[in-house]
Amino acid sequence: MAAAEEDELLLPRLPELFEASKQLLDEVEVAAEPTGSRRIQEKVSKGLDLLKTAAEMLSQLDLFSRNEDLEEIASTDLKYLMLPAIQGALAMKQVNPSKRLDHLQWAREHFLNYLTHCQHYHVAEFELPKPKNNSAENNTAGSSMAYPSLIAMASQRQAKIERYKQKKEVEQRLSALKSAVESGEADDERVREYYLLHLRRWIGISLEEIESIDQEIKILREKDSSKEASTSHPSREDRPPMKPFILTRNAAQAKVFGAGYPSLASMTVNEWYDQHRKFGALPDQGIAKKTSEVKRAAWQQEDQEQKEEEDDERTLQQAREWDDWKDTHPRGYGNRQNMG
């Protein structure tokens, strides 16, 4: 009996678990080293383990009831309402790519759980995010609402602006109350205001995180679907090449020309015809044309062209000489005997 009491005294209490996990989250968020480093990931895992134990203790203590109002909760117990939101924030810091989708869904569930509790207790005025449906339903909804209304986009933008303003006001008020509350000098009214401000701050954080999670989940699912489509349709290069074959009219020709040759023909009939026509070796009405006759006809054609070129040059030269003679011998030159 005494040993059991000693073990209970050695176990950490709920306030210690909550503060230790919250301190780990603050260290992870302000750390200068990458989130994927071993040291940061160890803090994330440790914080999630502490919050899991704290959530189990909170369930056993049964501090919150659906039948009570916010005013009935003790001021020092208000901070434990933030526990699911802190769990979601630490889950978002995990960097295992193979389990990223599971981590996102787990974090979204805890953020939504926190927002549901805050809405039940009327901590602040806000709208809960829409539940996440299956991918097929999302595609159907996306096709039916391909062009969102400008009014909805304007309202979302205005809501983000209002959340940003409220966030700045809350942070300023929290910084003013922090020292007094942590030192124990603040009265119950200030302590209550301090934790209510923290709850409102985490409401804004949870809404923004759920919006970011939904976008990342959509991207991951589209990536997975594209991979499945590429694996289900193999490329043409993966298919075995087709073997050459011979077309035959009947079974008798197939037996004769089927597979008795060591190799198939290297050219078609048209290719053979073009090659022989190029070299002038085609039959002409049953009589083959001799190569010498072809050469003789070519020589005669070349001689004729050369003669025509020489005649053209001789005619041009005579015309030039006649022009020169007319320049030096004007009209009537040499016929001066009958001049008076």
Side-chain angles (χ1 to χ4, degrees), residues 85-154:
I86 300 176
Q87 283 180 303
L90 275 173
M92 292 290 291
K93 302 297 182 182
Q94 300 177 100
V95 293
N96 189 348
S98 61
K99 298 181 179 179
R100 182 59 179 173
L101 185 59
D102 296 334
H103 294 160
L104 291 173
Q105 293 174 343
W106 192 87
R108 189 185 195 279
E109 180 182 352
H110 283 72
F111 281 128
L112 188 60
N113 183 21
Y114 170 73
L115 293 175
T116 304
H117 280 86
C118 289
Q119 191 177 61
H120 171 73
Y121 289 115
H122 303 286
V123 177
E125 294 293 332
F126 63 94
E127 292 184 4
L128 283 174
K130 296 180 180 180
K132 197 69 177 174
N133 299 326
N134 295 330
S135 58
E137 297 177 358
N138 290 337
N139 294 335
T140 304
S143 60
S144 61
M145 298 180 64
Y147 300 98
S149 63
L150 296 176
I151 299 176
M153 294 174 63

Side-chain angles (χ1 to χ4, degrees), residues 315-331:
T315 304
L316 180 61
Q317 184 65 26
Q318 291 176 356
R320 288 178 178 174
E321 292 176 355
W322 176 246
D323 290 338
D324 294 340
W325 189 87
K326 287 193 298 182
D327 291 339
T328 57
H329 297 76
R331 186 177 180 83

Side-chain angles (χ1 to χ4, degrees), residues 9-48:
L9 292 175
L10 293 175
L11 291 175
R13 297 183 303 167
L14 180 60
E16 296 173 355
L17 290 172
F18 181 81
E19 293 298 332
S21 58
K22 192 172 180 300
Q23 180 65 28
L24 287 172
L25 176 61
D26 294 338
E27 292 177 1
V28 169
E29 288 182 343
V30 300
E33 54 189 311
T35 307
S37 63
R38 181 178 178 181
R39 180 170 172 270
I40 296 298
Q41 288 302 304
E42 288 178 354
K43 290 185 177 182
V44 171
S45 300
K46 183 179 179 181
L48 289 172

Side-chain angles (χ1 to χ4, degrees), residues 118-323:
C118 289
Q119 191 177 61
H120 171 73
Y121 289 115
H122 303 286
V123 177
E125 294 293 332
F126 63 94
E127 292 184 4
L128 283 174
K130 296 180 180 180
K132 197 69 177 174
N133 299 326
N134 295 330
S135 58
E137 297 177 358
N138 290 337
N139 294 335
T140 304
S143 60
S144 61
M145 298 180 64
Y147 300 98
S149 63
L150 296 176
I151 299 176
M153 294 174 63
S155 62
Q156 291 176 1
R157 181 175 179 275
Q158 187 63 29
K160 289 182 179 180
I161 294 174
E162 291 296 330
R163 286 203 303 265
Y164 179 78
K165 291 180 179 179
Q166 293 175 4
K167 179 182 177 181
K168 290 299 181 182
E169 294 176 358
V170 167
E171 289 177 352
Q172 291 178 359
R173 185 60 181 161
L174 281 173
S175 61
L177 294 173
K178 182 177 180 180
S179 59
V181 173
E182 291 181 352
S183 63
E185 298 177 357
D187 54 7
D188 185 73
E189 183 178 355
R190 288 190 174 183
V191 171
R192 192 174 191 83
E193 181 185 3
Y194 179 74
Y195 289 124
L196 285 175
L197 289 172
H198 268 296
L199 293 176
R200 290 167 188 162
R201 175 177 173 269
W202 276 102
I203 287 175
I205 294 174
S206 300
L207 290 172
E208 292 176 357
E209 290 293 342
I210 287 179
E211 184 178 352
S212 176
I213 288 171
D214 291 343
Q215 293 176 358
E216 188 172 353
I217 287 177
K218 182 180 178 181
I219 294 173
L220 291 176
R221 284 177 175 171
E222 290 177 353
K223 185 178 179 181
D224 293 339
S225 61
S226 63
K227 286 183 179 179
E228 293 176 359
S230 61
T231 54
S232 61
H233 299 286
S235 61
R236 294 181 180 268
E237 297 178 356
D238 298 337
R239 301 177 183 176
M242 295 180 63
K243 295 182 179 180
F245 57 91
I246 300 176
L247 294 177
T248 58
R249 292 184 178 181
N250 49 41
Q253 280 188 342
K255 291 181 180 179
V256 176
F257 301 106
Y261 293 104
S263 63
L264 294 175
S266 59
M267 67 175 63
T268 63
V269 176
N270 292 333
E271 292 174 349
W272 179 88
Y273 183 87
D274 294 337
Q275 183 178 2
H276 282 65
R277 185 179 59 181
K278 180 179 179 181
F279 292 103
L282 287 176
D284 187 9
Q285 297 181 355
I287 302 174
K289 186 180 293 185
K290 297 181 179 180
T291 308
S292 60
E293 296 178 358
V294 176
K295 292 182 178 180
R296 188 181 300 111
W299 290 341
Q300 290 177 356
Q301 185 177 359
E302 291 180 0
D303 292 341
Q304 184 67 24
E305 292 177 356
Q306 187 175 1
K307 288 180 180 179
E308 291 178 356
E309 291 178 358
E310 291 177 356
D311 292 341
D312 292 341
E313 292 180 359
R314 188 179 298 108
T315 304
L316 180 61
Q317 184 65 26
Q318 291 176 356
R320 288 178 178 174
E321 292 176 355
W322 176 246
D323 290 338

